Amino acid sequence: MSRLNLAHLVVTASQNIQVADEVRRDPAVVKAAKQFVEDSAQTFRSGGALVREVQSSWRRHSPLSKGVGTDE
């Protein structure tokens, strides 16, 4: 059975953490993340508007709202 080299594991993990932090702070990554957040927020606003319009249209075109098939 092979043995785990704990010192090597610690060094590798430390290097990976450092690289991950550098990537997180990279200006291009920060800019893209901000754009993603803005685009996502706009997507949810647009999606909400779409849902409201579909509901409104459904009510306008529904036979029940026009009295079709009732005794009116």
Side-chain angles (χ1 to χ4, degrees):
M1 178 187 266
S2 63
R3 299 191 68 178
L4 185 62
N5 184 338
L6 189 57
H8 178 69
L9 183 62
V10 168
V11 169
T12 302
S14 176
Q15 289 170 341
N16 287 338
I17 290 170
Q18 183 179 3
V19 170
D21 187 53
E22 290 172 4
V23 169
R24 180 189 61 84
R25 291 184 288 123
D26 186 287
V29 172
V30 171
K31 181 180 177 184
K34 287 179 182 178
Q35 187 64 53
F36 174 78
V37 169
E38 292 170 9
D39 292 348
S40 298
Q42 181 60 45
T43 298
F44 282 110
R45 286 192 295 270
S46 298
L50 172 62
V51 168
R52 289 187 297 276
E53 290 301 328
V54 167
Q55 290 171 335
S56 178
S57 180
W58 186 270
R59 285 190 295 272
R60 286 193 307 271
H61 294 91
S62 173
L64 296 177
S65 69
K66 296 177 181 177
V68 176
T70 64
D71 291 337
E72 293 181 13

